[in-house]
């Protein structure tokens, strides 16, 4: 379908055309609805989970998967399926919370750095302190300094991912600020705030949205790795990375304890990357033919 045909069917809305092009990618659309399903699973976990995540049953310790416990139980008799369902809450909060916070902070810093040349050097040099340090050593040091809690974990991940958004926003704004419609707004006396919010920011969203979806999976993996080594979410909370760590000592006999939450992390990261790839293709104007 040509660009003209798409506009005829969906109007002139850019986002309607993006949604239509994304719909042509079947894998991306299936992945999108699966992500929505995971979010709903996290929201309604108490209604969906067959047992409370912390309910202990010492008559059913380390039970293999069966009809009563489809994913088996752990060393305290807790239902692993229920803990997986409740654990999706931490995954959703960490993944989307990290990306939302780092996106807002990074885009704000990137826009100011590009639009106000005097701020460019100090902002970008400061952000390079975080971007030039390998991820795990930086995150481990920050968590050790701040302490292990969900709030501190989110802050550490936000600080780590902020420079990436700042670089993307800065590069986009450096291109857009010389466009004719921006120069016309300046000539008409529009304030800096109006120019940034109504002209520059809306036209910078495409690469930011792609970055958001592709990096969400990475933040989930980082959080799971920190929980695995004891620097993330703490017991008895049912975070997936922590569940993998707790089950590693039983891996030889009770494989399901670690393997199932590990597969959940792989699955969610996989579908997030598929959606990110689909959005990247849909937002690329060179492919809208």
């Amino acid at each position: 379908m040509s660009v003209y045909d798409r506009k005829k069917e969906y109007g002139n809305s850019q986002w309607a055309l993006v949604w239509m092009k994304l719909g042509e990618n079947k894998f991306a659309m299936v992945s999108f609805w699966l992500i929505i399903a995971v979010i709903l699973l996290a929201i309604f976990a108490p209604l969906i989970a067959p047992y409370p995540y912390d309910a202990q049953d010492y008559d059913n310790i380390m039970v293999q998967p069966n009809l009563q416990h489809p994913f088996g139980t752990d060393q305290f008799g807790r239902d692993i399926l229920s803990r997986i369902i409740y654990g999706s809450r931490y995954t959703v909060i960490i993944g989307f919370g990290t990306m939302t916070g780092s996106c807002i902070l990074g885009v704000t810093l990137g826009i100011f750095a590009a639009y106000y040349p005097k701020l460019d050097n100090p902002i970008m040099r400061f952000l390079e302190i975080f971007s030039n340090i390998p991820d795990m050593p930086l995150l481990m040091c920050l968590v050790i300094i701040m302490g292990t809690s969900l709030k501190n974990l989110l802050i550490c991940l936000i600080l780590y991912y902020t420079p990436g958004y700042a670089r993307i926003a800065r590069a986009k704004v450096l291109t857009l600020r010389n466009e004719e419609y921006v120069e016309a707004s300046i000539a008409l006396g529009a304030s800096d705030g109006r120019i940034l919010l109504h002209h520059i920011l809306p036209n910078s969203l495409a690469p930011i949205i792609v970055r958001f979806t592709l990096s969400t999976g990475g933040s989930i993996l980082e959080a799971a790795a920190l929980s695995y080594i004891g620097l993330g979410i703490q017991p008895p909370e049912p975070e997936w990375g922590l569940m993998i760590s707790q089950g590693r000592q039983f891996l030889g006999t009770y494989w399901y304890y670690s393997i199932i939450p590990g597969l959940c992390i792989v699955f969610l990261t996989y579908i997030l990357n598929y959606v990110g790839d689909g959005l990247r293709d849909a937002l690329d104007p060179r492919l809208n033919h």
Side-chain angles (χ1 to χ4, degrees):
M1 183 181 292
S2 66
V3 174
Y4 174 78
D5 293 331
R6 288 175 181 152
K7 288 186 176 181
K8 185 177 180 181
E9 182 176 355
Y10 289 88
N12 292 321
S13 172
Q14 176 188 0
W15 296 108
L17 293 173
V18 169
W19 176 256
M20 185 257 183
K21 186 166 180 59
L22 182 64
E24 295 175 355
N25 188 330
K26 302 304 181 184
F27 286 109
M29 283 305 297
V30 170
S31 298
F32 172 80
W33 291 114
L34 286 173
I35 292 171
I36 297 298
V38 172
I39 294 173
L40 293 175
L41 184 72
I43 294 173
F44 298 106
L47 301 177
I48 298 172
Y51 305 93
Y53 75 88
D54 55 352
Q56 300 182 11
D57 182 3
Y58 289 100
D59 292 329
N60 290 286
I61 293 176
M62 304 305 287
V63 172
Q64 297 282 348
N66 54 45
L67 293 178
Q68 186 179 1
H69 301 284
F71 288 173
T73 63
D74 62 12
Q75 70 270 37
F76 300 107
R78 297 174 299 191
D79 181 64
I80 293 179
L81 173 60
S82 299
R83 292 179 63 79
I84 290 288
I85 293 173
Y86 274 95
S88 64
R89 288 184 158 188
Y90 287 97
T91 301
V92 168
I93 291 172
I94 290 170
F96 292 97
T98 296
M99 287 303 109
T100 300
S102 58
C103 178
I104 293 172
L105 181 59
V107 169
T108 301
L109 292 174
I111 288 176
F112 277 99
Y115 198 77
Y116 299 104
K118 291 183 179 180
L119 298 177
D120 189 11
N121 195 56
I123 289 177
M124 297 312 296
R125 298 297 81 76
F126 174 74
L127 292 178
E128 284 178 359
I129 296 174
F130 295 97
S131 61
N132 289 331
I133 303 175
D135 52 354
M136 285 306 295
L138 173 63
L139 292 171
M140 290 169 63
C141 290
L142 290 174
V143 170
I144 291 172
I145 293 171
M146 299 177 64
T148 55
S149 69
L150 177 59
K151 181 183 73 173
N152 291 340
L153 179 60
L154 286 172
I155 293 173
C156 294
L157 288 169
I158 287 171
L159 291 175
Y160 172 70
Y161 281 98
T162 291
Y165 284 103
R167 286 194 296 269
I168 291 174
R170 177 180 177 272
K172 192 67 176 177
V173 174
L174 286 174
T175 302
L176 293 174
R177 72 178 184 179
N178 296 320
E179 293 289 333
E180 293 180 357
Y181 59 85
V182 175
E183 294 178 350
S185 297
I186 296 173
L188 291 172
S191 65
D192 289 348
R194 181 175 180 82
I195 293 172
L196 291 173
L197 291 176
H198 292 273
H199 297 293
I200 289 181
L201 181 58
N203 289 287
S204 305
L205 288 179
I208 294 170
I209 291 173
V210 173
R211 169 85 181 190
F212 188 102
T213 53
L214 290 175
S215 297
T216 301
S219 67
I220 292 171
L221 290 174
E222 300 281 3
L226 289 170
S227 295
Y228 182 84
I229 60 176
L231 295 177
I233 306 300
Q234 299 299 303
E237 302 304 319
E239 199 273 334
W240 293 350
L242 179 60
M243 292 177 67
I244 296 174
S245 178
Q246 291 175 329
R248 61 183 173 179
Q249 59 182 314
F250 307 107
L251 193 59
T253 308
Y254 304 101
W255 58 270
Y256 57 87
Y257 195 164
S258 288
I259 296 298
I260 292 176
L263 290 175
C264 290
I265 294 174
V266 171
F267 169 75
L268 185 55
T269 305
Y270 184 77
I271 61 177
L272 283 166
N273 286 339
Y274 247 125
V275 172
D277 288 339
L279 281 172
R280 182 178 55 196
D281 295 340
L283 290 166
D284 190 343
R286 295 170 297 179
L287 301 177
N288 291 327
H289 298 297

